Amino acid sequence: MQTGFVDRVDEMAHLERLLGGTDGAARCVIIEGETGIGKSALISEFARRTTQRAVAPVACRVAQTRCYAQIGQSLSFYPVADLLHQLVGSGQPQPLPWWRRALRQAGPSAVASAPQVLSAVVPGLGAVWTAGREIVQAAVTTGSVPLDSVMPIQLGAALRVAEAILDLGRAAEPVVLVVDDLQNVDPSSLMVLDRLVRSLEDSQMSVVVTYAPAGAAVDPVAELLDEWVKDRVAVRRSLSGLPADAVAELVRWRHPDAPADLPSRLQELTLGHPMFLSLCLDDWHSDNGDTWKPSESLRKTVEKRLSALAGPDRELLLAAAVQGPVFVSRVVAEACDQPHEPVLERLRWIGTELGLIRPEETPPAWAEGEQADCYRFEHRLVCQALYDLQTGQQKRTRHSRVAHALEVALPGQEPSARHLEVAYHLARGGPEDRAAATDAYTGLARTAALEGLSFVEAEEHCSRAIELARALPEGDFSRDRKLIAAIELLLSLTEVRWRGNHQPAGGPDIDALAAEAEQAAQRCGDPALLARTALLRGKTLMATRGLVPSLNKLREAVERAEAAGESVAVYVAKVEYGRQLSKRDLGAGLALLREVEHMYATDPALGSGNDPVLQHARNLAQMQLAISLYDTGHLSEALGRLEACASRLRETAPSTELPIALNYLAQVHTTMGAPEKARLALAEAREIEERRGGPSGWHAYNTALLAQLLSAELEERAEGLELIEAAWRETEETWLLNLVPIVRNLYAQTLLDQAPQAVPREADELLAQSEKLAQDTCVETRQTGMVRSEIAARILLSRVHRERGQLGEAVAHADGALDLLDSVGDMPALRTEEVFYYAAVAHGAAGNLERAQGLIDRARTEVLRKADGVDGDQARETFLHTSLNDAILKGIGIQPSC
């Protein structure tokens, strides 16, 4: 709808200041205002003026795109792909044809998805995509694979796309990227734009976005825009109605012969709202004279124009409004049960005579292949007003008819977008469409995760599928299976963000969902589903209630898998149970892990294929077995197994578990007196995850281990302190329950190790911070059952109090750690001899020499026992002369009893 461009002088001046880029202002401008207020007109005029300039510093390129409103009218990453195309090509906006060509060029065997298409123009994206797909498949297929190493892949993909856009913008002239209707952006594109906007400072690129507040309780776009403004990477300009002089100018431009009082009458009625003004001016004609009375609302204005239509034509537009802001003549005809040919002519007449609709020259992806005309409403407000005129049942009936009309497969069509449209309408149809809608949204979630690495979109689809499944009749045979499938998928997708008992705002109650899936499986009575849901519940219990409830449920999962008689399910359940059991009973966990190793070697169903689920479970089992051997003192065997595992993972895509294997390997190297090898392993692990991008719990853990190694060297202590602080920030962001107390203890230990060399005031601060961290671990582990971390934290508290000369408290904490250790035995990620040694030091300092001697003797026994597990004289000597072992064997810090 052409309205002419009036006013907005201040806003236009602010936009034009972006072009020079020399005033130090933020290089992103947010144009905000309600729908129809004139945001699109402003940026279109800005783009027109900018492209006409030819003199530096304001000569520049403009790439302009929009985010489509209705779900299904664009694919994930569409807006950023469109911008990339314009920067790569001539800069002329030809988005959808290019998108379709790129999809076709991907070939019949390739996945028609954004990552596949974008990899053609984004360096390194193809490798990122390949690295993630298999492990995502395992996660969403079984619900048994953690996604901690997958989310960084998606974040890394977003980072690479943003870098590609920045690289393409490094040209002789500046570049302005214009993104209209950001409130409709897909989450994947939003992730890219966030990284792009935060990287503009040193570039010649600027970004302009428009946003209409959605009014939703949770609006991630609004939250991100607020962060941009708070972080000073963007400024916000809010548009309101046009002032009186601009309304008068618009009236003169549209109707030079209008009465003198028309501008003031329209200003009072519309408050300068451009869309309402334009509709009123469309309604006014010169022969109205002074008798014309405008409608009092936008809805009434639309109703007034609609009243001129005959019944069948009115029905066409009402059905079109149900289909959405963009609609297809064939679908509208079928929804109205009218022949297509007459509908073609009636829509052409409506568009020509009434102006409510206009031809759409570039149909959306879901409409490709249609032998039909495609139209767009003049504005979403018109579409919404028409939609609101209908009763609830009319809407449901028409949504159902539109969905079934769209279910027809068409040649050359992009299937994902079509499926989105179908699911959207099925969900808004009648009860008879609810089961199909549930399946449609579950399928869309799998597609988004597997083919697009678009986990946020997948979560949204899953949540919708769960809502729809719950609404199915309870006696429906398929209801429970559909519910289980959707819940399993959602929990797999969100596992990377599980934060224990801290439910994120707007996030799912993970344990309640897992319990709901369990109950549904019990109603189904399917042994395989019972095993799967028990395994899933065991994992959510670990995150929300701790180790003991989780172990009970994981043991049940093993029993149910055995009852189902499926060797793969038994293997996966035993691997998970064995890994967690080691945290409570190291010996029992080690025995179970040896059992699953034997299972894999002897059962053809396990070892003969390349099933990603089995491969991932095998990798985790191998690493856990090796580190459990290390924890029990079989050092050389653990080292050999971990080196072999790491070597194999380096040669096997996607190598998702390699940072974990390198973490374990570094721990063994450190214990055996090879810190340089440990550093190399940790550097490799950190580099792998940094290439993927995004925060990761294991990257944080590896960073913390490296920080501890650096802190042992006087000249590297400052760097070690910086690294441990970064590791803790990343741990807080990822919050993997099993890693949080470990990294927190490493943080406390690093601070404690630095205190003796610090000046008194700084030393006091380091000790206070270390004490607070260790106390937090003790509080947390009493709830989670992570006893190993509580033992370590109590020893840290003992050391803090000894440094302060508070010997009574030091002894009390040491004895608390010893009591726990004696009750549970050896623990993973805990060196028993270290616990004995620091307890001996505390008692020795307090004058309890006999007690101290007994403890140092126990520590020596542990060291010598473990030395027997080291192959080779040189390796054994190196192990015995590490700083800790040397202190234990010589009794350094302990007054001898003789």
Side-chain angles (χ1 to χ4, degrees):
M1 176 185 299
Q2 187 179 18
T3 62
F5 183 79
V6 296
D7 199 63
R8 310 304 191 197
V9 176
D10 291 343
E11 291 80 4
M12 183 64 71
H14 190 93
L15 290 174
E16 291 185 343
R17 284 199 294 273
L18 282 176
L19 304 182
T22 57
D23 59 357
R27 302 197 59 82
C28 174
V29 177
I30 304 161
I31 305 297
E32 187 173 278
E34 64 179 283
T35 300
I37 203 67
K39 303 181 298 297
S40 297
L42 172 63
I43 63 169
S44 294
E45 178 67 11
F46 168 66
R48 185 190 68 79
R49 295 182 185 183
T50 301
T51 53
Q52 289 180 350
R53 300 181 190 274
V55 180
V58 292
C60 69
R61 289 186 292 164
V62 176
Q64 186 170 0
T65 191
R66 67 176 300 177
C67 308
Y68 288 94
Q70 182 172 314
I71 187 171
Q73 290 190 335
S74 64
L75 302 177
S76 299
F77 289 107
Y78 168 77
V80 294
D82 184 10
L83 294 173
L84 266 172
H85 160 61
Q86 294 180 50
L87 294 173
V88 169
S90 63
Q92 298 301 316
Q94 306 170 30
L96 287 169
W98 167 80
W99 187 257
R100 294 194 294 267
R101 285 197 304 273
L103 285 169
R104 284 197 291 269
Q105 290 166 2
S109 62
V111 180
S113 64
Q116 290 292 119
V117 176
L118 290 173
S119 63
V121 291
V122 178
L125 186 60
V128 172
W129 160 242
T130 301
R133 191 171 188 273
E134 285 190 4
I135 194 63
V136 177
Q137 167 117 27
V140 302
T141 300
T142 68
S144 64
V145 180
L147 278 168
D148 178 46
S149 296
V150 177
M151 184 59 76
I153 292 174
Q154 185 187 26
L155 297 172
L159 181 61
R160 281 172 172 76
V161 175
E163 289 173 345
I165 293 174
L166 286 168
D167 288 342
L168 289 168
R170 293 188 177 101
E173 70 273 17
V175 175
V176 179
L177 305 180
V178 180
V179 183
D180 199 8
D181 289 335
L182 192 69
Q183 70 275 6
N184 304 320
V185 71
D186 63 277
S188 298
S189 295
L190 188 63
M191 199 179 299
V192 174
L193 288 172
D194 183 41
R195 279 148 183 76
L196 181 64
V197 167
R198 295 181 186 279
S199 305
L200 292 175
E201 184 176 1
D202 298 324
S203 73
Q204 292 193 93
M205 183 174 284
S206 303
V207 174
V208 179
V209 302
T210 72
Y211 169 75
V218 178
D219 185 346
V221 178
E223 291 172 2
L224 182 61
L225 296 183
D226 289 341
E227 286 182 18
W228 288 358
V229 174
K230 182 184 69 175
D231 296 341
R232 299 184 179 182
V233 296
V235 293
R236 178 182 275 125
R237 304 289 293 187
S238 297
L239 294 190
S240 56
L242 297 172
D245 58 344
V247 173
E249 181 183 347
L250 182 60
V251 172
R252 287 194 300 271
W253 185 80
R254 292 285 301 275
H255 297 294
D257 53 348
D261 67 340
L262 183 60
S264 61
R265 291 162 62 192
L266 290 177
Q267 173 68 30
E268 182 180 358
L269 174 68
T270 67
L271 300 179
H273 192 292
M275 182 61 196
F276 196 1
L277 269 171
S278 185
L279 286 172
C280 289
L281 290 172
D282 285 344
D283 195 42
W284 189 89
H285 299 285
S286 57
D287 55 0
N288 292 142
D290 294 332
T291 63
W292 178 71
K293 292 184 178 180
S295 301
E296 295 179 357
S297 70
L298 179 58
R299 183 180 65 82
K300 289 184 177 180
T301 300
V302 173
E303 285 182 349
K304 182 177 180 181
R305 295 175 68 181
L306 193 62
S307 65
L309 291 175
D313 291 341
R314 178 187 176 92
E315 186 181 0
L316 289 177
L317 284 192
L318 292 172
V322 168
Q323 187 174 358
V326 177
F327 61 92
V328 173
S329 59
R330 179 192 66 80
V331 175
V332 169
E334 292 191 21
C336 295
D337 199 21
Q338 296 185 31
H340 189 203
E341 286 299 323
V343 168
L344 286 170
E345 175 57 29
R346 296 312 301 165
L347 289 175
R348 184 201 64 77
W349 181 85
I350 292 170
T352 302
E353 297 300 321
L354 296 184
L356 287 169
I357 59 175
R358 61 185 178 191
E360 177 62 37
E361 299 301 330
T362 54
W366 56 263
E368 186 168 340
E370 288 277 6
Q371 298 299 309
D373 289 335
C374 188
Y375 285 90
R376 174 185 295 279
F377 281 98
E378 286 180 325
H379 198 281
R380 278 192 60 83
L381 290 176
V382 175
C383 177
Q384 188 63 47
L386 287 166
Y387 188 80
D388 292 342
L389 288 175
Q390 304 172 64
T391 68
Q393 184 56 46
Q394 285 176 323
K395 294 173 186 175
R396 287 189 291 272
T397 298
R398 287 174 174 141
H399 274 301
S400 181
R401 290 177 177 177
V402 168
H404 293 301
L406 286 168
E407 284 178 334
V408 178
L410 299 174
Q413 184 184 82
E414 203 294 300
S416 296
R418 190 77 164 195
H419 293 159
L420 279 165
E421 285 291 310
V422 171
Y424 174 85
H425 291 291
L426 283 174
R428 287 155 180 79
E432 66 277 8
D433 296 314
R434 205 161 286 150
T438 304
D439 291 340
Y441 273 106
T442 303
L444 285 169
R446 290 181 179 276
T447 299
L450 288 172
E451 299 181 3
L453 294 183
S454 301
F455 304 127
V456 180
E457 291 95 323
E459 290 172 32
E460 292 174 351
H461 296 325
C462 268
S463 296
R464 190 73 178 109
I466 291 170
E467 292 173 6
L468 290 163
R470 287 170 176 160
L472 290 171
E474 292 192 8
D476 189 323
F477 176 76
S478 65
R479 176 185 183 273
D480 289 326
R481 291 182 178 275
K482 295 180 190 299
L483 186 60
I484 291 168
I487 289 175
E488 275 192 321
L489 185 51
L490 179 64
L491 290 177
S492 293
L493 291 168
T494 59
E495 184 173 353
V496 70
R497 299 200 315 276
W498 292 359
R499 292 179 63 90
N501 292 315
H502 307 287
Q503 182 181 338
D509 184 334
I510 57 174
D511 194 51
L513 281 173
E516 186 177 4
E518 260 199 309
Q519 293 163 6
Q522 289 166 4
R523 290 191 295 270
C524 289
D526 185 322
L529 285 179
L530 287 167
R532 284 168 64 109
T533 55
L535 177 60
L536 189 62
R537 184 77 192 284
K539 294 166 71 175
T540 61
L541 286 169
M542 172 68 77
T544 58
R545 292 174 54 190
L547 185 59
V548 175
S550 172
L551 286 175
N552 293 335
K553 185 58 66 173
L554 291 173
R555 182 171 57 250
E556 178 186 333
V558 172
E559 293 167 354
R560 290 191 178 279
E562 289 175 333
E566 295 185 2
S567 59
V568 172
V570 172
Y571 178 76
V572 170
K574 283 191 173 182
V575 167
E576 187 66 25
Y577 181 43
R579 292 175 62 230
Q580 304 305 335
L581 181 59
S582 298
K583 298 171 184 175
R584 192 59 153 184
D585 187 334
L586 186 56
L590 180 59
L592 186 54
L593 291 167
R594 286 192 182 277
E595 178 186 336
V596 297
E597 182 180 55
H598 180 72
M599 286 176 62
Y600 190 89
T602 57
D603 189 338
L606 300 178
S608 60
N610 293 316
D611 186 327
V613 177
L614 289 174
Q615 291 301 315
H616 183 72
R618 176 201 179 196
N619 293 338
L620 293 178
Q622 281 190 337
M623 291 184 290
Q624 188 64 52
L625 175 57
I627 200 65
S628 294
L629 287 167
Y630 158 75
D631 291 325
T632 54
H634 302 84
L635 301 184
S636 287
E637 183 181 357
L639 180 63
R641 282 175 173 269
L642 286 169
E643 287 178 333
C645 183
S647 179
R648 181 174 58 79
L649 288 173
R650 289 187 187 101
E651 299 172 359
T652 307
S655 301
T656 307
E657 307 90 350
L658 183 54
I660 304 176
L662 292 169
N663 175 287
Y664 292 165
L665 188 58
Q667 292 186 54
V668 179
H669 279 313
T670 301
T671 299
M672 295 183 68
E676 290 304 318
K677 290 182 178 180
R679 286 195 188 196
L680 290 174
L682 294 170
E684 181 183 356
R686 295 178 73 237
E687 182 183 358
I688 290 169
E689 300 225 79
E690 286 163 5
R691 285 200 305 267
R692 293 173 182 167
S696 160
W698 281 96
H699 180 269
Y701 189 3
N702 287 322
T703 300
L705 288 177
L706 181 59
Q708 189 180 37
L709 288 172
L710 294 177
S711 295
E713 304 296 331
L714 182 61
E715 64 277 8
E716 295 179 303
R717 281 178 178 165
E719 184 182 354
L721 188 58
E722 290 179 6
L723 277 180
I724 196 65
E725 290 171 347
W728 180 240
R729 286 194 299 270
E730 190 171 18
T731 299
E732 289 184 304
E733 186 173 356
T734 54
W735 204 267
L736 294 178
L737 197 67
N738 59 320
L739 299 185
V740 168
I742 296 175
V743 176
R744 191 194 283 116
N745 281 345
L746 286 170
Y747 190 7
Q749 183 175 338
T750 302
L751 297 175
L752 179 59
D753 289 342
Q754 298 211 5
Q757 288 75 35
V759 298
R761 182 174 178 180
E762 182 182 350
D764 289 342
E765 292 176 355
L766 290 170
L767 290 173
Q769 191 176 359
S770 179
E771 180 182 22
K772 175 64 167 57
L773 290 165
Q775 286 173 339
D776 287 346
T777 296
C778 289
V779 171
E780 179 185 287
T781 52
R782 290 187 199 111
Q783 297 173 344
T784 63
M786 302 288 189
V787 179
R788 61 180 182 177
S789 293
E790 184 178 355
I791 295 171
R794 285 182 174 275
I795 285 298
L796 288 169
L797 288 171
S798 174
R799 293 177 60 189
V800 167
H801 286 293
R802 182 172 55 81
E803 284 288 335
R804 290 173 173 162
Q806 299 165 338
L807 301 182
E809 291 90 338
V811 167
H813 282 296
D815 286 346
L818 290 170
D819 289 343
L820 279 174
L821 182 60
D822 287 339
S823 67
V824 297
D826 289 342
M827 288 270 96
L830 185 73
R831 295 172 67 178
T832 302
E833 63 273 21
E834 186 173 8
V835 176
F836 290 151
Y837 174 71
Y838 283 113
V841 170
H843 277 282
N848 306 324
L849 300 185
E850 184 175 353
R851 174 71 163 151
Q853 189 60 50
L855 288 169
I856 201 69
D857 289 342
R858 293 179 71 181
R860 287 176 184 142
T861 299
E862 279 295 306
V863 170
L864 295 174
R865 181 182 67 81
K866 291 182 178 180
D868 290 339
V870 178
D871 297 335
D873 293 341
Q874 183 60 50
R876 189 172 185 274
E877 281 299 306
T878 301
F879 168 74
L880 291 172
H881 287 89
T882 59
S883 58
L884 175 65
N885 291 345
D886 193 54
I888 290 172
L889 294 175
K890 295 177 180 178
I892 297 174
I894 311 296
Q895 293 185 19
S897 57
C898 56

